[in-house]
């Protein structure tokens, strides 16, 4: 999906002087830089944004020239000042409305751009190949916050139209998102990492149990590795993180992690992971028997 930068920026810069417009343009270019797109996708969006800026500045220059000519004609012919006063009042109204629109663009613009880019290609959004990213070692605490993640993978409320009933969980395995459905076409979105074995399977499940600081006994690990996993359980550094939601199929669970930077990637262990702050937030909001839908 192509972002209509011309319409988006035209509303944001309406009524602004050259300095303010320049700052808005810089913010828009910075947003593309921080979106973690592939080089080709970033170049395409940058070119589209440059074209929009050029068109907007040409339009503003033409409008200013036209306004200057009209004022000059009015002064030279001795026309009434009343139309000018009325016009100035209309401009003031437009500027006030533009300020409201600009506030919306500043606060919601990143989410709008991220959503529009997402529909282009899941791999373009992630900006990488689907390779398995290694975990930190058991007992090593990589942090609990999602602040280190790209904006799109941080916890946020988004527009989400679905027929799934509010209170349910939707897992978008391909695009690496988990949604907790709210009312009024909105959802609380979390970035996730996912293990290879959890990429496929059924489309419907439910929460059977909730655990705080779960232990993880790996049947496939040697004794030394298993001891390390158990030593890390129950505190930061546990590979299963701070919380876990056990689903109704063996091996299927939603859990935390000691490796925040693996969010958005395929991972080597566990199933569906969130950063600890996010899984604790999700844990507080759902109950046993919560419906979980896996989107294709």
């Amino acid at each position: 999906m192509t972002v209509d930068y011309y319409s988006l920026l035209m509303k944001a810069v309406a009524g602004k002087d050259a300095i303010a417009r320049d700052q808005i343009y810089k913010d828009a270019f910075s947003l593309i830089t921080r979106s973690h797109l592939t080089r080709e996708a970033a170049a395409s969006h940058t070119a589209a944004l440059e074209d929009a800026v050029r068109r907007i500045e040409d339009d503003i220059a033409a409008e200013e020239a036209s306004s200057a000519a009209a004022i000059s004609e009015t002064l030279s012919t001795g026309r009434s000042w009343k139309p000018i006063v009325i016009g100035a009042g209309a401009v003031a109204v437009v500027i006030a409305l533009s300020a409201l629109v600009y506030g919306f663009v500043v606060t919601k613009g990143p989410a709008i751009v991220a959503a529009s880019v997402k529909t282009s290609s899941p791999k373009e959004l992630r900006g990488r190949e689907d390779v398995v990213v290694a975990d930190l070692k058991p007992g090593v605490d990589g942090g609990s916050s999602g602040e280190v993640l790209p904006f799109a993978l941080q916890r946020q409320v988004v527009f989400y139209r679905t027929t799934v009933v509010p209170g349910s969980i939707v897992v978008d395995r391909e695009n690496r998102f988990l949604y907790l459905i709210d009312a009024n076409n909105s959802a609380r979105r979390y970035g996730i990492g996912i293990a290879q074995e959890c990429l496929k399977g059924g489309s419907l499940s439910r929460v059977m149990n909730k655990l705080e600081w779960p232990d993880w006994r790996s049947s496939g690990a040697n004794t030394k590795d298993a001891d390390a996993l158990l030593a890390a359980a129950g505190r930061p550094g546990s590979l299963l993180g701070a919380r876990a939601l056990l689903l109704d199929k063996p091996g299927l669970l939603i859990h935390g992690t000691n490796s925040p930077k693996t969010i958005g990637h395929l991972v080597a262990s566990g199933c569906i992971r969130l950063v600890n702050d996010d899984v604790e937030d999700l844990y507080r909001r759902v109950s046993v028997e919560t419906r979980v839908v896996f989107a294709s």
Side-chain angles (χ1 to χ4, degrees):
M1 179 178 178
T2 302
V3 180
D4 187 359
Y5 288 111
Y6 178 83
S7 298
L8 192 63
L9 290 176
M10 197 63 178
K11 294 177 181 178
V13 304
K16 304 293 181 181
D17 60 22
I19 295 176
R21 295 199 304 272
D22 185 64
Q23 185 59 51
I24 293 171
Y25 299 149
K26 288 180 180 178
D27 291 342
F29 283 110
S30 176
L31 180 62
I32 293 175
T33 303
R34 300 195 309 268
S35 294
H36 296 271
L37 300 171
T38 60
R39 181 177 299 178
E40 294 78 11
S44 176
H45 281 273
T46 300
L49 180 56
E50 289 174 345
D51 180 68
V53 170
R54 186 165 47 251
R55 289 173 56 197
I56 290 170
E57 288 301 309
D58 288 344
D59 291 347
I60 291 175
E63 183 177 356
E64 289 176 348
S66 177
S67 298
I71 293 173
S72 177
E73 181 181 356
T74 299
L75 294 175
S76 62
T77 57
R79 292 179 182 174
S80 171
W81 284 90
K82 185 176 180 180
I84 296 178
V85 173
I86 295 174
V91 169
V93 173
V94 171
I95 292 174
L97 292 175
S98 299
L100 294 176
V101 173
Y102 175 64
F104 173 81
V105 171
V106 169
T107 56
K108 302 298 184 182
I112 293 171
V113 173
S116 63
V117 171
K118 187 187 77 164
T119 59
S120 299
S121 166
K123 286 187 177 180
E124 285 186 1
L125 172 65
R126 297 195 295 271
R128 66 196 185 289
E129 295 297 326
D130 278 335
V131 296
V132 175
V133 177
D135 290 319
L136 295 175
K137 293 180 179 180
V140 177
D141 181 13
S144 296
S145 172
E147 292 180 354
V148 298
L149 301 176
F151 176 82
L153 291 172
Q154 295 178 22
R155 181 172 78 239
Q156 56 193 283
V157 176
V158 298
F159 175 80
Y160 192 77
R161 180 173 294 169
T162 180
T163 57
V164 177
V165 298
S168 301
I169 293 171
V170 174
V171 179
D172 184 345
R173 291 180 281 204
E174 183 175 4
N175 289 313
R176 313 291 193 258
F177 291 124
L178 182 149
Y179 298 87
L180 179 60
I181 307 303
D182 293 330
N184 302 320
N185 293 322
S186 67
R188 190 171 298 270
R189 189 177 74 187
Y190 308 81
I192 63 172
I194 187 166
Q196 187 79 47
E197 55 269 27
C198 294
L199 277 175
K200 298 179 181 179
S203 60
L204 187 61
S205 187
R206 60 192 177 95
V207 176
M208 293 294 293
N209 199 4
K210 299 170 61 180
L211 301 175
E212 296 188 13
W213 292 107
D215 291 342
W216 185 6
R217 289 178 169 81
S218 177
S219 59
N222 61 40
T223 302
K224 183 177 180 181
D225 291 338
D227 289 343
L229 290 175
L230 291 175
R235 61 182 175 82
S238 168
L239 296 186
L240 278 182
R243 303 289 185 271
L245 304 177
L246 304 185
L247 306 187
D248 59 358
K249 296 179 178 59
L252 195 60
L253 71 161
I254 299 167
H255 58 89
T257 181
N258 67 328
S259 306
K261 291 184 179 180
T262 61
I263 300 301
H265 298 265
L266 281 179
V267 296
S269 60
C271 188
I272 298 164
R273 66 173 60 178
L274 296 76
V275 297
N276 282 342
D277 285 354
D278 286 0
V279 78
E280 289 180 352
D281 181 83
L282 180 66
Y283 184 95
R284 290 191 296 268
R285 296 176 186 277
V286 302
S287 59
V288 173
E289 299 296 330
T290 292
R291 185 183 186 190
V292 182
V293 179
F294 291 90
S296 300

